[in-house]
Structures are given as structure tokens and as C-alpha cells.
């Protein structure tokens, strides 16, 4: 018969993280973590990158440390796309200048692409694309431009999309999509 390999093929899941949870497996401050929300029958999962406490949206989880590292590496240029609801007056020139990157308080942020989806008196919705997610990057940059982020939702990470998932939904990425999205050696 066939040899059964003890090594399981890596698995990747997409999870819609709600606001009010952290992404690490334990929190010294005792806040709730995303692992409190996940179904108990899942294998041990690693979160690819983080979304902070007040950010919601797409979180990629995997059983493979190698896949997590690959997706997180800035040189692999996986675009993270967010929708942000911001409060304050939009300055279109300053927003479009972010494509060149920006330095705030000595920290250099790479190219940020901002599209204005909806501009209203009180709140506007922006779509923001970045290649690497430094800690609280979007909030810090918007604040620097005089905008207050009052909702932040990650809608995609590389080829993986939030789509019409609801808060706290989790589903597994099928093998075909993984094969099209990741180097084959990571999927063995």
C-alpha cells in the first residue's frame, strides 16, 4: 500500500478577526485573544502577522511556520489592503504623496496607496494598500495627516480576500488556491 507520511501538508485558514481581541496566544494583560474564538477542533495555528486590538478583518492563520515567515517577509511584497473610516478633513495632495512613503518621528514607512471611496462631512472611507505592516502604521500615518481612524478593516492579504465573510467566520483555503499563491516547496 501507500506509505503514509507522518508529516501533514500545511493548512491555511482565513479568519475574520473582530475588534477587541489580540493576536498572540496569551496576553500578560489578560485581554481576550483570537484563540479564545477559534473552534476547538482546529490544529495548532500560527497567526501570519498581527492585527491590533482595535483592528478587524482578515487574518491568515496557518499550521506552517515556514508559510507564515514567507508571507510576512517584506521582500515578498504581499500587499495588505485595508478599508479605513476616518474622521477629519481629507487633504488629497498629502494622501496621494504617501505613495512615495513618509517618515514620522524618525520611522520610515514605505509606499502607501490611498484611494478615497467616499468623502463626507464627518466621516470618509479610504482604501489603503501597504506592503509591510509596521505596528499601528495606518493609524499613525493618518493621525500625522490630522485624520482619526475610527474603524479599520483589513480586506485582503496578498491573494487572500475577506470577501463576504462575517465577523468571527473561519474557513480553510483550498489546496488549488494555495498552489497558485505560494511556492510549492512550502506546501510539501
Amino acid at each position: 500500500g501507500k506509505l503514509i507520511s507522518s508529516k501533514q501538508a500545511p493548512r491555511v485558514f482565513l479568519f475574520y478577526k473582530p475588534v477587541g481581541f489580540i493576536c498572540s496566544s496569551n496576553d500578560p494583560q489578560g485581554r481576550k485573544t483570537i484563540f479564545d474564538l477559534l473552534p476547538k477542533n482546529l490544529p495548532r495555528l500560527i497567526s501570519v502577522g498581527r492585527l491590533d486590538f482595535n483592528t478587524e478583518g482578515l487574518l491568515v492563520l496557518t499550521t506552517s511556520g515556514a508559510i507564515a515567515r514567507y508571507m510576512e517577509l517584506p521582500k515578498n511584497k504581499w500587499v495588505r489592503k485595508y478599508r479605513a473610516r476616518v474622521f477629519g478633513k481629507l487633504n488629497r495632495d498629502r494622501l496621494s504623496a504617501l505613495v512615495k512613503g513618509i517618515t514620522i518621528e524618525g520611522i520610515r514607512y514605505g509606499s502607501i496607496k490611498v484611494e478615497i471611496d467616499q468623502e463626507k462631512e464627518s466621516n470618509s472611507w479610504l482604501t489603503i494598500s501597504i506592503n509591510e505592516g509596521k505596528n499601528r502604521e495606518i493609524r499613525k500615518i493618518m493621525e500625522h495627516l490630522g485624520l482619526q481612524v475610527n474603524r479599520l478593516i483589513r480586506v485582503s492579504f496578498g491573494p487572500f480576500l475577506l470577501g463576504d465573510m462575517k465577523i468571527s467566520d473561519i474557513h480553510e483555503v483550498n489546496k488549488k488556491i494555495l498552489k497558485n499563491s505560494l511556492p510549492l516547496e512550502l506546501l510539501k
Side-chain angles (χ1 to χ4, degrees):
K2 261 176 140 182
L3 277 175
I4 294 169
S5 137
S6 61
K7 200 168 158 304
Q8 294 273 307
R11 296 169 69 188
V12 175
F13 295 83
L14 305 182
F15 175 61
Y16 190 143
K17 175 197 172 294
V19 165
F21 289 82
I22 61 160
C23 291
S24 55
S25 49
N26 54 5
D27 179 38
Q29 296 171 42
R31 291 172 300 182
K32 287 199 161 67
T33 82
I34 57 157
F35 297 97
D36 298 328
L37 295 173
L38 299 176
K40 294 295 168 253
N41 60 348
L42 292 176
R44 203 179 84 78
L45 295 169
I46 304 160
S47 133
V48 178
R50 301 256 164 115
L51 288 177
D52 56 54
F53 191 70
N54 292 316
T55 303
E56 64 188 277
L58 182 68
L59 194 61
V60 181
L61 301 163
T62 176
T63 54
S64 157
I67 287 178
R69 282 188 296 278
Y70 175 85
M71 287 179 64
E72 286 171 2
L73 273 179
K75 74 169 167 60
N76 292 322
K77 292 265 184 279
W78 277 41
V79 174
R80 297 132 168 89
K81 199 175 251 188
Y82 294 79
R83 294 207 66 219
R85 188 174 65 198
V86 298
F87 181 79
K89 187 91 190 83
L90 301 183
N91 177 327
R92 286 170 185 271
D93 293 342
R94 289 187 75 188
L95 287 171
S96 51
L98 291 173
V99 160
K100 299 189 200 76
I102 189 172
T103 301
I104 303 170
E105 292 171 12
I107 299 173
R108 177 74 193 153
Y109 297 98
S111 177
I112 299 135
K113 199 166 148 257
V114 179
E115 298 156 59
I116 299 169
D117 302 325
Q118 197 179 37
E119 190 173 1
K120 290 205 185 115
E121 272 311 298
S122 60
N123 279 309
S124 304
W125 279 98
L126 309 174
T127 295
I128 300 173
S129 306
I130 57 180
N131 276 338
E132 49 178 326
K134 288 198 173 84
N135 188 22
R136 299 180 45 91
E137 174 166 354
I138 291 173
R139 292 176 198 278
K140 284 177 182 158
I141 291 164
M142 292 299 127
E143 229 160 81
H144 184 73
L145 301 186
L147 300 169
Q148 199 62 46
V149 174
N150 53 23
R151 193 161 175 210
L152 188 58
I153 309 164
R154 179 156 66 191
V155 292
S156 65
F157 190 138
F160 302 126
L161 310 175
L162 191 60
D164 52 13
M165 287 174 77
K166 306 272 178 290
I167 287 180
S168 293
D169 278 358
I170 184 162
H171 60 237
E172 187 159 3
V173 178
N174 73 42
K175 300 272 181 282
K176 197 174 149 203
I177 293 174
L178 289 183
K179 280 197 172 86
N180 292 334
S181 310
L182 292 161
L184 283 177
E185 66 269 16
L186 289 178
L187 298 175
K188 292 195 169 63

